[in-house]
């Protein structure tokens, strides 16, 4: 993410949050009953022999790549790592009750944090700052794309998370069918509509509430030069003429270019449509789905697709997954050891060679990695051009509102302007929280 | 001193029912945000109730919940009673096979049912549209069309939940006394007349209890909505339970308002239960 182009200045107010005082009694009771092993550093010649770390992870390819490398971590540190892998939609609701508990009461020692939770988690006092550990161990993070820390690393000037997995959004398209991505959004909409013929669609789209439609539409907004807020994150701009234009384009494509039922389709539905060769293009997470589209058991388009940035401004939505240590972690020191290990250059390169999405800048020009995944040469440009979400505190609420209201418009239950006005009203409220 | 045997029961009830209920009651009177820059919890009186009950989202959820509950309870009761009568026919061959088949949906969790149906209903890759396509029908966006989404959820719910009612009605029918039916037959009543004037009146208490159980469960419907539509398209299938969930755990993390919604839902369920129990008492008195 190129900060000057992104034109976003994240405000660091230095606000600190206390722990949630009187918590949910049921959660506390459950947490108190958790059978977690206490750290026993020093035993057996390895610093953390006997320690077990519990992690909540989304069930996706990057997680599997890390899981494959865990024996290396165990050999180095003696730490056993248990991954609880769940679908993305379940992560937030599983994390919140755990994170809002008191110190050392939670089930998870390390949490994977998506790019619309960092502000909320840190400012609610749920996460441990990592700066002291970084300084103590002289951890070299200089190779990681600096802008990732702005999206999902630092909050109010303090490092709470280490980015490990960026996932830029752009367009995947069928190069074998000579599909060409036009220069402007208007042309893209017209082009995809013209490609729709019978069971073959111009675009596989994901219009279901709440996360799918919100993430997909943000690309339309950014590609038209729009944004959710003004640069100071105080005034919503989502309902201006650019926002309205972006939503009208999106609805036009849902109605006239996309597959039947696109307004109720989620990411899996749309991805399967593209993988089964039924769509010419798709706005998606290009690095996450590279492995899926290249898997001959799941895809009929192996080697038949390529990636492109969004038309128009070329700015797409860029997400970043990061690791952090919650205050409720039972083994925070061992948790930091894991984050240090998984983030360091050697392990990161091994993940990249398996098909992972690298956080290190120079991996995108590494001949060894590019020999296996040549599309990464385009991915770095998409990454640099893209932007993340505004770092307000209640980002999850912002995304939920976006998804719900956009879906109201896409399903014709509200006019586009009414939906955008409702989003703007909520964003104004959230800007003060 | 026999009451001492009841102590474990009351202690358990206190822990699992009374305490959470009281906690939710207190939370519903507080500004209680789980996350954010101000985590203080001042008492705000009935503000959460007023905000929840006066919101457009709540009105929409109430409407959806009423449509869903009324549809599934009435349709499932009619279908279940009809199938139970057929299953209870004397000399029915393969009765146990039919009962086994009927019980299959009952044994599946709502999440498994939702995920399976989501695949079946996929507009382009699902088997249902494929089968309909063989007859020349167009593709339907079962879950993506604002007019079809709720009827589709109702149909899936009927597929899943009718089994329980069938079993209740079947058990009731097979335990009815034979004498009144025999007397009706001797008096020359047709099978339809026997069903209408003898069997149904005797089954009314069982039907009321079954409807009550099903209604309370239908009003709380959450899992199918979560898996199939996430309340969409837009908020076209958002029920009260789903609204409470997303208010408390999926966006604002507003536990106070979610608790207020839960208390309102609880009062509605208590009211429904009271009405149905009174109806049962009246019938018993009439007998």
């Amino acid at each position: 993410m190129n900060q000057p182009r992104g034109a976003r200045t994240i405000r660091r107010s230095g606000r600190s949050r206390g722990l949630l005082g009187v918590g949910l009694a049921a959660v506390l009771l459950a947490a108190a009953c958790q059978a977690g092993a206490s750290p026993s550093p020093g035993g057996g010649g390895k610093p953390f022999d006997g320690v077990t770390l519990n992690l909540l992870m989304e069930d996706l390819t990057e997680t599997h790549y890390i899981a494959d490398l865990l024996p290396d971590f165990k050999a180095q540190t003696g730490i056993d790592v248990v991954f609880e892998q769940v679908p993305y939609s379940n992560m937030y609701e599983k994390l919140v009750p755990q994170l809002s508990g008191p110190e050392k009461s939670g089930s998870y020692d390390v949490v994977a944090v998506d790019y619309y939770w960092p502000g909320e988690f840190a400012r609610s006092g749920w996460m441990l700052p990592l700066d002291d550990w970084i300084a103590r161990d002289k951890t070299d993070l200089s190779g990681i794309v600096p802008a990732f820390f702005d999206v999902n690393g630092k909050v109010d000037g303090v490092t709470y998370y280490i980015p490990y997995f960026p996932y830029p959004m752009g367009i995947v398209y069928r190069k074998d069918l000579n599909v060409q991505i036009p220069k402007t959004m208007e042309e893209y909409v017209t082009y995809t509509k013209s490609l729709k013929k019978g069971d073959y669609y111009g675009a596989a789209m994901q219009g279901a509430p709440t996360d799918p439609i919100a993430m997909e539409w943000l690309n339309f907004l950014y590609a038209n030069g729009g944004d959710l807020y003004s640069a100071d994150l105080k005034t919503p701009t989502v309902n201006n003429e650019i926002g309205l234009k972006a939503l009208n384009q999106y609805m036009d494509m849902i109605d006239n270019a996309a597959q039947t039922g696109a307004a109720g389709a989620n990411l899996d539905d749309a991805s399967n449509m593209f993988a089964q060769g039924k769509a010419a293009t798709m706005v998606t997470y290009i690095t996450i789905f590279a492995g899926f589209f290249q898997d001959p058991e799941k895809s009929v388009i192996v080697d038949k697709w390529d990636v492109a940035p969004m038309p128009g401004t070329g700015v797409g939505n860029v997400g970043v997954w990061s690791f952090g240590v919650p205050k409720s972690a039972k083994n925070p020191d061992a948790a930091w050891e894991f984050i240090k290990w998984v983030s360091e250059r050697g392990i990161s390169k091994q993940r990249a060679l398996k098909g992972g999405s690298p956080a290190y800048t120079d991996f995108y020009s590494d001949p060894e990695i590019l020999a296996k995944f040549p599309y990464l040469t385009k991915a770095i440009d998409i990454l640099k051009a893209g932007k993340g979400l505004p770092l307000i505190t209640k980002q999850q609420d912002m995304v939920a509102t976006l998804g719900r209201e956009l879906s109201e418009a896409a399903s014709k239950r509200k006019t586009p302007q009414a939906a955008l006005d409702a989003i703007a009203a909520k964003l104004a409220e959230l800007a003060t929280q | 001193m026999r009451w001492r045997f009841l102590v474990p029961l009351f202690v358990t009830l206190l822990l699992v029912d009374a305490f959470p209920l009281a906690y939710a009651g207190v939370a519903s009177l507080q500004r209680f945000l789980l996350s954010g820059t101000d985590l203080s919890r001042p008492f705000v009186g009935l503000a959460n109730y007023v905000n929840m009950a006066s919101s457009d989202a709540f009105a929409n959820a109430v409407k959806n919940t009423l449509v869903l509950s009324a549809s599934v309870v009435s349709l499932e009761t009619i279908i279940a009673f009809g199938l139970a009568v057929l299953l209870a026919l004397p000399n029915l061959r393969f009765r146990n096979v039919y009962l086994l088949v009927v019980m299959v949906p009952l044994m599946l969790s709502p999440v498994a049912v939702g995920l399976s149906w989501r695949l079946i209903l996929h507009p382009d890759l699902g088997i249902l549209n494929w089968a309909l396509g063989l007859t020349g029908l167009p593709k339907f966006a079962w879950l993506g069309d604002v007019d079809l989404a709720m009827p589709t959820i109702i149909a899936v719910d009927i597929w899943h939940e009718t089994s329980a009612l069938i079993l209740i009605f079947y058990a009731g029918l097979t335990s009815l006394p034979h004498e009144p039916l025999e007397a009706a037959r001797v008096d020359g009543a047709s099978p339809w007349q026997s069903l209408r004037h003898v069997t149904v009146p005797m089954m009314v208490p069982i039907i009321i209890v079954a409807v009550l159980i099903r209604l309370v469960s239908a009003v709380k419907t959450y899992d199918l909505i979560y898996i199939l539509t996430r309340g969409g398209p837009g908020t076209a299938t958002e029920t009260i339970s789903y609204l409470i969930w997303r208010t408390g755990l999926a966006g604002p993390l507003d536990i106070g308002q979610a608790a207020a919604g839960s208390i309102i839902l609880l009062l509605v369920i208590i009211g429904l239960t009271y009405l149905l129990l009174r109806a049962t008492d009246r019938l018993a008195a009439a007998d």
Side-chain angles (χ1 to χ4, degrees), chain A residues 106-305:
Chain A
S107 298
Y108 306 119
D109 298 291
V110 179
V111 290
V113 176
D114 197 11
Y115 76 125
Y116 45 83
W117 306 329
E120 181 168 35
F121 288 5
R123 288 175 182 151
S124 298
W126 296 346
M127 305 301 297
L128 291 175
L130 306 179
D131 293 302
D132 287 349
W133 275 319
I134 293 170
R136 184 195 71 187
D137 296 344
K138 299 182 174 57
T139 311
D140 181 14
L141 302 168
S142 60
I144 295 177
V145 179
F148 294 167
F149 283 93
D150 293 322
V151 174
N152 191 0
K154 293 186 175 185
V155 178
D156 303 327
V158 177
T159 309
Y160 287 98
Y161 317 95
I162 305 296
Y164 73 98
F165 172 37
Y167 56 104
M169 294 190 80
I171 295 178
V172 292
Y173 65 93
R174 293 288 299 277
K175 65 179 180 184
D176 62 313
L177 299 178
N178 202 29
V179 171
Q180 305 283 333
I181 302 302
K183 297 287 184 199
T184 69
M185 280 302 291
E186 290 83 355
E187 290 167 347
Y188 176 59
V189 174
T190 307
Y191 179 55
T192 52
K193 284 161 66 178
S194 73
L195 292 175
K196 183 176 176 179
K197 301 267 186 325
D199 284 348
Y200 180 69
Y201 304 97
M205 296 182 72
Q206 38 178 316
T210 54
D211 178 80
I213 191 171
M215 294 298 102
E216 188 172 54
W217 180 73
L218 278 177
N219 294 280
F220 285 66
L221 181 66
Y222 294 164
N224 278 287
D227 209 336
L228 296 172
Y229 280 102
S230 58
D232 62 2
L233 300 186
K234 287 182 177 170
T235 310
T237 56
V238 67
N239 57 340
N240 64 16
E241 68 278 7
I242 298 177
L244 184 61
K245 179 179 168 189
L247 185 49
N248 280 325
Q249 287 172 348
Y250 183 84
M251 290 171 58
D252 195 6
M253 279 187 62
I254 283 273
D255 291 340
N256 303 307
Q259 76 276 20
T260 311
N266 60 26
L267 177 58
D268 287 341
D269 296 329
S271 302
N272 281 319
M273 288 296 295
F274 190 73
Q276 294 307 311
K278 289 180 174 290
T281 71
M282 178 181 174
V283 174
T284 192
Y285 308 95
I286 55 177
T287 51
I288 293 181
F289 282 91
F292 180 68
F293 297 145
Q294 284 297 93
D295 183 344
E297 290 186 4
K298 297 171 183 167
S299 167
V300 300
I301 56 160
V302 175
D303 292 331
K304 295 177 178 175
W305 59 279

Side-chain angles (χ1 to χ4, degrees), chain B residues 18-39:
Chain B
F19 175 73
L21 187 60
Y23 192 88
V26 172
S28 72
L29 301 173
Q30 294 176 316
R31 176 195 174 277
F32 185 174
L33 297 173
L34 209 51
S35 73
T37 55
D38 179 6
L39 298 179

